[in-house]
Amino acid sequence: MCELLGMSANVPTDICFSWAGMMNRGGATGPHKDGWGIAFYEGRGIREFRDPAPSYTSEIARFVRNYPIKSETVISHIRQANVGNICLENTHPFIRELHGSYWCYAHNGQLQNFTELPLGQFRPVGTTDSEHAFCWLLQQIAGEVPTTASSAELGAVLHRCCRTLSDYGVFNMLLSNAQTLFVYCSTKLHWITRRAPFGKAQLQDNELTVNFAEHTTPTDVVSVIATEPLTTNETWTALAPGELIAFAAGEVVGRWPATRD
Amino acid sequence: MCELLGMSANVPTDICFSWAGMMNRGGATGPHKDGWGIAFYEGRGIREFRDPAPSYTSEIARFVRNYPIKSETVISHIRQANVGNICLENTHPFIRELHGSYWCYAHNGQLQNFTELPLGQFRPVGTTDSEHAFCWLLQQIAGEVPTTASSAELGAVLHRCCRTLSDYGVFNMLLSNAQTLFVYCSTKLHWITRRAPFGKAQLQDNELTVNFAEHTTPTDVVSVIATEPLTTNETWTALAPGELIAFAAGEVVGRWPATRD
């Protein structure tokens, strides 16, 4: 399997602290050593860093940990390969343009019979179940969601599509179009929103502690989403299986609970 | 205007030497201080580094100079803004997926009335003439070139499209689909192919010298394309205005000369 890390903030915020924990899980405190990637939105633009090498030993991952890139929305992934070789084109996150925005996506889980999902204009470059599902998902959005849709309209379509994908296996997902970060839980995802009064946090995966009060202003709001909680002294909330949450500017702006037939 | 740098090699090769010269032109030895980007193909995958900050002072550009990333095809650009603000989404190279491959593109020049070029499924995220032209170009390829086309068939369509684009203004371009690097010259581009016996080269933009014989094997073939020659003691060839050259695995594999009515 893999691990996911996402962030949504109301001011450009660096993710060095969380990434310092996450990158250790890629070969040191965790087995996810088959590549990694991280994408930072800055306005409508996006930049990414990725490597098929383990994040724990990657020079590029170390650079990302030490050089604060400030972003409103971040999507990151460390990989433990199941479907698809270990190579650059199979590293997450995957990025495509649709409706004049960059859509960025990362997936945790494994899908069976995923090649049954019909594709259109979006085609996978690599060989993972994850990228195939992403291409299918974008095709549904292209077909069903007008460019002027609100995040609520988009969320409703996404929730239905994610539920379809989770019929194929485990499907935990982060997806953003720069404006909104959508988080879908099939089995395991946790989140936390930090706001004033900010306190100290202790990473689970190394000895690093940060006092957020020293790095923030009283109006900052930052939500972090991760497969497993990254800190030991804060209360993270587990998403329910089947739940979709939309984050924008650090806040929860939409929730679609698990639905049952 | 801007400057372009491209590389095609028959073995994964780092571009640290050429980049050390190029990045100095982004704010030190040249005026191209409005952002930069570099993309490295590794097989079918691609990774990129970009920054709206000047390459001469960018921490990320310095990392790229010092950390050898080995690649078969590289496309890079340093920007001096004309159309479009200085921001991340307006930095080159631009990347889109088409036919299951990543297409990477950078442009030097300025186009007039570019919004006349009709767009389809590919939409610009930023506001540059360059990205608009890229979206138009991909639409022509999507419509006219089958997925199974040879690089010669692709080149013939590209040559016609690039000529159309150069009717709108200055259009010097690097474009790759991972297999082939296409280079179109509207006004100014130079190239060199290095092969055994390898010698020493002296950068024009700083005091760096390299002895390629120490970093290569006798079968290596590496072509470098740049707006202006990067070295002072080698013979670079100027592309003719209107000419398209295709490089693959370091070698010239196709040439389409300037055509006249």
Side-chain angles (χ1 to χ4, degrees):
Chain A
M1 305 288 269
C2 313
E3 290 209 27
L4 298 170
L5 170 64
M7 186 193 80
S8 171
N10 68 342
V11 289
T13 301
D14 80 66
I15 198 167
C16 292
F17 176 73
S18 295
W19 179 247
M22 177 82 162
M23 69 176 276
N24 274 7
R25 295 183 181 179
T29 57
H32 318 283
K33 58 176 176 37
D34 300 328
W36 62 275
I38 188 166
F40 299 86
Y41 282 99
E42 290 165 58
R44 299 176 56 72
I46 194 164
R47 56 176 147 189
E48 48 155 269
F49 300 85
R50 62 178 73 231
D51 206 340
S55 56
Y56 178 60
T57 56
S58 165
E59 287 286 340
I60 304 174
R62 194 168 301 136
F63 178 81
V64 171
R65 185 190 63 193
N66 294 332
Y67 180 67
I69 294 173
K70 291 183 183 282
S71 167
E72 303 95 7
T73 307
V74 176
I75 289 181
S76 172
H77 181 272
I78 52 175
R79 182 165 185 240
Q80 186 178 14
N82 42 54
V83 179
N85 293 337
I86 301 167
C87 56
L88 191 62
E89 64 264 35
N90 285 342
T91 57
H92 306 220
F94 300 100
I95 299 173
R96 295 285 190 282
E97 174 265 315
L98 168 63
H99 293 165
S101 294
Y102 290 122
W103 296 68
C104 177
Y105 154 101
H107 165 227
N108 154 249
Q110 186 167 356
L111 304 177
Q112 309 300 322
N113 306 316
F114 62 90
T115 54
E116 290 174 3
L117 292 161
L119 300 182
Q121 73 189 64
F122 301 97
R123 295 277 162 179
V125 176
T127 52
T128 62
D129 49 350
S130 306
E131 190 185 11
H132 190 105
F134 179 43
C135 291
W136 177 83
L137 193 57
L138 288 177
Q139 199 65 47
Q140 310 314 304
I141 299 170
E144 296 185 39
V145 183
T147 52
T148 54
S150 66
S151 72
E153 292 171 287
L154 175 57
V157 172
L158 276 178
H159 192 222
R160 180 165 45 75
C161 291
C162 288
R163 195 179 155 198
T164 298
L165 288 169
S166 65
D167 288 341
Y168 287 78
V170 174
F171 188 73
N172 301 299
M173 177 201 81
L174 303 178
L175 173 73
S176 183
N177 60 353
Q179 294 182 326
T180 309
L181 174 62
F182 291 96
V183 178
Y184 182 77
C185 175
S186 152
T187 56
K188 187 160 59 175
L189 266 177
H190 297 80
W191 61 284
I192 189 170
T193 299
R194 298 184 182 118
R195 63 178 85 238
F198 290 98
K200 288 184 182 174
Q202 166 66 47
L203 278 184
Q204 182 169 320
D205 296 83
N206 67 25
E207 295 179 356
L208 207 60
T209 301
V210 70
N211 184 353
F212 288 118
E214 295 172 2
H215 301 276
T216 50
T217 70
T219 56
D220 290 6
V221 180
V222 181
S223 288
V224 177
I225 303 96
T227 299
E228 298 275 8
L230 288 165
T231 56
T232 54
N233 65 328
E234 299 178 299
T235 304
W236 292 66
T237 304
L239 278 87
E243 186 179 25
L244 177 74
I245 302 184
F247 295 88
E251 302 279 7
V252 172
V253 296
R255 284 184 92 149
W256 293 262
T259 50
R260 298 204 173 275
D261 293 318
Chain B
M1 303 290 268
C2 313
E3 291 210 26
L4 297 170
L5 170 64
M7 187 193 80
S8 171
N10 67 342
V11 289
T13 302
D14 80 66
I15 199 168
C16 293
F17 176 73
S18 295
W19 179 245
M22 177 82 163
M23 71 177 274
N24 274 6
R25 296 183 182 177
T29 57
H32 318 284
K33 60 176 175 39
D34 300 328
W36 62 277
I38 187 166
F40 299 86
Y41 281 98
E42 292 165 57
R44 300 177 55 72
I46 194 165
R47 58 177 145 188
E48 47 155 270
F49 300 85
R50 63 178 72 232
D51 207 340
S55 56
Y56 178 59
T57 56
S58 165
E59 287 287 338
I60 305 174
R62 193 167 301 136
F63 178 81
V64 171
R65 184 189 66 192
N66 295 332
Y67 180 67
I69 294 173
K70 291 183 183 283
S71 167
E72 303 95 8
T73 307
V74 176
I75 289 182
S76 172
H77 181 272
I78 52 174
R79 181 164 186 240
Q80 187 178 15
N82 43 53
V83 179
N85 292 338
I86 300 167
C87 56
L88 191 61
E89 64 265 33
N90 285 343
T91 57
H92 306 221
F94 300 99
I95 299 172
R96 295 285 190 281
E97 174 266 316
L98 169 63
H99 293 165
S101 294
Y102 290 121
W103 295 69
C104 178
Y105 154 101
H107 165 227
N108 154 251
Q110 186 167 357
L111 304 177
Q112 310 300 321
N113 306 316
F114 62 91
T115 54
E116 290 175 2
L117 293 160
L119 300 182
Q121 73 189 67
F122 301 97
R123 295 278 161 178
V125 176
T127 52
T128 62
D129 50 349
S130 306
E131 190 185 11
H132 190 106
F134 179 42
C135 292
W136 178 84
L137 194 56
L138 288 178
Q139 198 66 46
Q140 310 314 304
I141 298 169
E144 296 185 40
V145 184
T147 52
T148 54
S150 67
S151 72
E153 292 171 285
L154 175 57
V157 172
L158 276 178
H159 192 222
R160 181 165 45 74
C161 291
C162 288
R163 194 178 157 200
T164 298
L165 288 170
S166 66
D167 287 340
Y168 287 79
V170 174
F171 188 74
N172 301 299
M173 178 202 80
L174 303 179
L175 173 74
S176 183
N177 61 353
Q179 294 183 326
T180 310
L181 173 63
F182 292 96
V183 178
Y184 183 78
C185 175
S186 151
T187 56
K188 187 160 59 173
L189 266 177
H190 297 79
W191 62 284
I192 188 170
T193 299
R194 299 184 181 119
R195 63 178 85 237
F198 289 98
K200 288 185 183 174
Q202 165 66 48
L203 277 186
Q204 181 167 323
D205 295 82
N206 67 24
E207 294 180 357
L208 207 59
T209 301
V210 70
N211 184 354
F212 287 117
E214 296 171 1
H215 301 276
T216 51
T217 69
T219 56
D220 290 5
V221 180
V222 181
S223 288
V224 177
I225 303 97
T227 299
E228 297 275 7
L230 288 165
T231 56
T232 53
N233 65 328
E234 298 179 299
T235 303
W236 292 66
T237 304
L239 277 86
E243 184 179 27
L244 176 75
I245 302 184
F247 295 88
E251 302 279 6
V252 172
V253 296
R255 284 185 93 148
W256 292 262
T259 51
R260 298 205 173 274
D261 292 317

